[in-house]
């Protein structure tokens, strides 16, 4: 059996090992948390980019829809003509024509409002989905970090218990045996 200083040295070594194990576990948990935060940030950036792209494409999409549609182009030209005519004094015939044109434009106005509403709903839904994904990812990262920390704490506790038990056994063995 070793002397008291050897036992003390062995106990110090075991304590240092346990400390290194705790430091490694803490580093692993921090890495896991950083990775989860990175995933959350990436998801938020992607969703924001998709929403911005949808907003930028809305005018282009409206133009593409009217390019191949001579009726839509004609209605737009007709609307511009109505605007010009409204600046001039109107006659009875013009008032009647304007009323008929207004009735013809009303369905297009309603369709444009419905399109805008649908775009708003789509953007809102995309935002909700992104928020839920961020929340789910953060919850999963927190759960994984907690589990890892608990597991490492159990390992450290077990190592410390074993070290203490070994030191106690060595100390008992040394005091029970005759000296040199």
């Amino acid at each position: 059996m070793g002397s008291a200083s050897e036992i003390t040295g062995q106990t110090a070594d075991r304590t240092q090992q346990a400390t290194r194990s705790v430091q490694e576990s803490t580093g692993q948990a921090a890495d896991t948390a950083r990775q989860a935060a990175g995933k959350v940030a990436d998801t938020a950036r992607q969703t924001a980019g998709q929403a911005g792209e949808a907003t930028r494409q809305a005018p282009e999409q409206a133009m593409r829809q009217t390019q191949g549609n001579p009726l839509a182009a004609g209605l737009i030209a007709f609307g511009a003509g109505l605007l010009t005519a409204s600046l001039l004094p109107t006659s009875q015939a013009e008032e009647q024509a304007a009323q008929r044109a207004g009735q013809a434009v009303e369905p297009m106005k309603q369709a444009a409002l419905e399109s805008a509403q649908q775009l708003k709903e789509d953007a809102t839904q995309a935002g909700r989905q992104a928020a839920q994904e961020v929340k789910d990812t953060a919850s999963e990262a927190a759960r994984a970090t907690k589990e890892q920390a608990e597991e490492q704490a159990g390992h450290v506790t077990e190592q410390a218990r074993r070290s203490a038990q070994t030191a106690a056994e060595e100390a008992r063995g040394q005091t029970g045996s005759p000296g040199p």
Side-chain angles (χ1 to χ4, degrees):
M1 291 288 152
S3 66
S5 64
E6 289 174 347
I7 292 172
T8 303
Q10 291 173 354
T11 303
D13 288 344
R14 288 188 183 116
T15 303
Q16 287 175 347
Q17 289 174 348
T19 301
R20 281 192 296 274
S21 177
V22 167
Q23 289 171 340
E24 289 173 6
S25 298
T26 303
Q28 290 172 353
D31 287 344
T32 301
R34 278 192 292 276
Q35 289 172 354
K39 286 180 184 178
V40 167
D42 288 344
T43 301
R45 277 192 294 272
Q46 287 174 351
T47 302
Q50 289 171 352
E53 187 63 26
T55 303
R56 283 189 296 274
Q57 289 179 355
E60 292 173 14
Q61 187 176 10
M63 285 177 53
R64 279 193 306 270
Q65 288 174 347
T66 59
Q67 276 181 344
N69 189 347
L71 179 61
L75 286 174
I76 291 171
F78 182 74
L82 283 177
L83 178 62
T84 304
S86 69
L87 298 175
L88 301 174
T90 60
S91 67
Q92 182 73 17
E94 288 175 331
E95 286 180 15
Q96 290 174 354
Q99 189 176 23
R100 285 191 300 259
Q103 292 170 352
V105 171
E106 187 61 33
M108 290 201 54
K109 178 182 171 186
Q110 189 62 32
L113 289 174
E114 289 173 5
S115 281
Q117 181 64 29
Q118 184 63 38
L119 182 61
K120 176 185 169 190
E121 289 172 7
D122 290 347
T124 301
Q125 181 64 22
R128 284 186 186 137
Q129 287 174 345
Q132 186 62 41
E133 287 177 20
V134 168
K135 180 181 174 185
D136 292 347
T137 302
S139 295
E140 179 61 26
R143 184 193 60 75
T145 302
K146 178 183 174 190
E147 288 175 1
Q148 220 174 25
E150 289 173 351
E151 181 180 325
Q152 293 303 323
H155 290 312
V156 170
T157 301
E158 182 61 25
Q159 285 178 346
R161 187 189 63 74
R162 285 188 203 145
S163 293
Q165 186 178 13
T166 302
E169 288 173 0
E170 288 176 1
R172 271 184 264 160
Q174 193 174 40
T175 58
S177 64

